[in-house]
């Protein structure tokens, strides 16, 4: 059973941040669209940078003790036309005992755990406002996101999203990549995860 996974992404700052607007008293009715617009801006900026992505997957026994680990590091490069290339740094260190990583696991590490919920991805999701909460010392709106429909071969996020009230940046996501894949002979199951984002330049 895979108990934890974490993916980190870092890109360089752009410079002086814009002044933050006042925090509204009530969540705007088009909150999801505002988040998607901000996410589209974030993705545009991210695609201008090269960054290094390190992945560590710990395999735990029934008592919570570590019994195996997988580690890899890749450089993520975007061309001038924003085509993505991944360069593996060295060889993956695979010390897992019972877990087998599948193509879907690596897709989730690349696309779902660090999901950027841009405008062109938002239409795949149903969103519901779930209130407000202070998360990681940031005043946030809370959105639930679930896929509208899942066709064969597709992967989506299903969970909660905490959104900065000031600039509509996503600061945390908790959920799961779906669907779980079960057949009469095999099970390809996927863990719940938490993705935490930190500000880089006061704007992104």
């Amino acid at each position: 059973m895979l108990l934890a996974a974490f993916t980190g992404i870092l890109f360089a700052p752009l410079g002086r941040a814009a002044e933050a607007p006042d925090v509204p008293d009530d969540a705007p009715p088009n909150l999801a669209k505002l988040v998607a617009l901000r996410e589209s801006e974030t993705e545009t900026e991210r695609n201008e940078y090269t960054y290094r992505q390190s992945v560590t997957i710990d395999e735990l026994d029934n008592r919570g003790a570590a019994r195996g680990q997988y580690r890899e590091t890749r450089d993520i490069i975007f061309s001038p036309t924003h085509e993505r290339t991944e360069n593996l740094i060295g060889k993956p260190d695979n010390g897992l005992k019972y877990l087998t990583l599948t193509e879907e696991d690596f897709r989730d590490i690349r696309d779902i755990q660090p999901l950027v919920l841009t405008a062109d991805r938002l239409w795949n999701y149903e969103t519901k406002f779930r209130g407000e909460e202070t998360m990681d010392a940031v005043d946030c709106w809370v959105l639930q996101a679930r896929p509208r429909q899942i066709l064969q071969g597709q992967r989506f996020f299903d969970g909660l999203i905490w959104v900065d009230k000031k600039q509509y940046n996503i600061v945390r996501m908790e959920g799961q990549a779906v669907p779980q894949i079960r057949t009469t002979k095999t099970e390809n199951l996927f863990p719940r995860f938490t993705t935490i984002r930190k500000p880089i330049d006061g704007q992104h």
Side-chain angles (χ1 to χ4, degrees):
M1 181 178 182
L2 181 58
L3 297 183
F6 174 78
T7 302
I9 294 177
L10 177 68
F11 59 90
L14 285 178
R16 190 180 185 87
E19 184 176 350
D22 293 335
V23 178
D25 294 331
D26 298 311
N30 60 339
L31 176 59
K33 291 183 178 180
L34 292 172
V35 172
L37 177 62
R38 188 70 177 126
E39 289 284 275
S40 297
E41 295 172 353
T42 295
E43 184 172 70
T44 296
E45 298 302 333
R46 185 192 68 172
N47 290 351
E48 297 296 327
Y49 292 89
T50 294
Y51 58 87
R52 178 160 290 185
Q53 177 175 286
S54 299
V55 175
T56 302
I57 298 174
D58 291 313
E59 180 182 4
L60 310 180
D61 62 21
N62 293 333
R63 298 181 178 179
R67 67 181 178 192
Q69 188 179 82
Y70 175 90
R71 297 175 63 91
E72 71 166 39
T73 302
R74 297 173 185 260
D75 280 343
I76 313 301
I77 301 169
F78 292 92
S79 73
T81 57
H82 299 156
E83 294 180 358
R84 175 185 173 121
T85 302
E86 297 188 9
N87 292 334
L88 188 63
I89 307 301
K91 293 182 179 180
D93 182 8
N94 189 354
L96 299 175
K97 305 300 183 183
Y98 298 100
L99 291 176
T100 299
L101 296 178
T102 64
E103 177 185 349
E104 288 80 11
D105 287 311
F106 288 106
R107 285 177 61 188
D108 292 348
I109 289 170
R110 171 182 169 176
D111 298 325
I112 304 301
Q113 294 180 13
L115 176 67
V116 184
L117 190 59
T118 56
D120 61 337
R121 298 185 181 104
L122 179 62
W123 70 272
N124 291 310
Y125 291 90
E126 295 177 348
T127 59
K128 291 183 180 180
F129 178 63
R130 292 302 189 189
E132 54 187 300
E133 184 179 0
T134 299
M135 179 60 68
D136 301 328
V138 179
D139 290 333
C140 296
W141 305 120
V142 184
L143 279 176
Q144 181 180 19
R146 305 189 69 177
R148 295 182 185 275
Q149 180 180 353
I150 303 177
L151 302 178
Q152 185 173 359
Q154 292 182 325
R155 305 290 298 158
F156 291 106
F157 171 77
D158 186 349
L160 296 176
I161 299 171
W162 284 261
V163 179
D164 177 0
K165 289 183 179 181
K166 294 181 179 180
Q167 297 178 326
Y168 305 111
N169 290 313
I170 293 175
V171 299
R172 178 182 286 248
M173 302 173 67
E174 292 183 4
Q176 192 169 39
V178 294
Q180 306 285 3
I181 301 174
R182 294 180 173 92
T183 69
T184 56
K185 296 183 178 180
T186 62
E187 285 188 334
N188 191 2
L189 306 180
F190 306 96
R192 297 191 62 80
F193 64 85
T194 297
T195 298
I196 300 171
R197 299 190 192 180
K198 297 296 184 181
I200 298 297
D201 59 0
Q203 183 177 1
H204 299 96

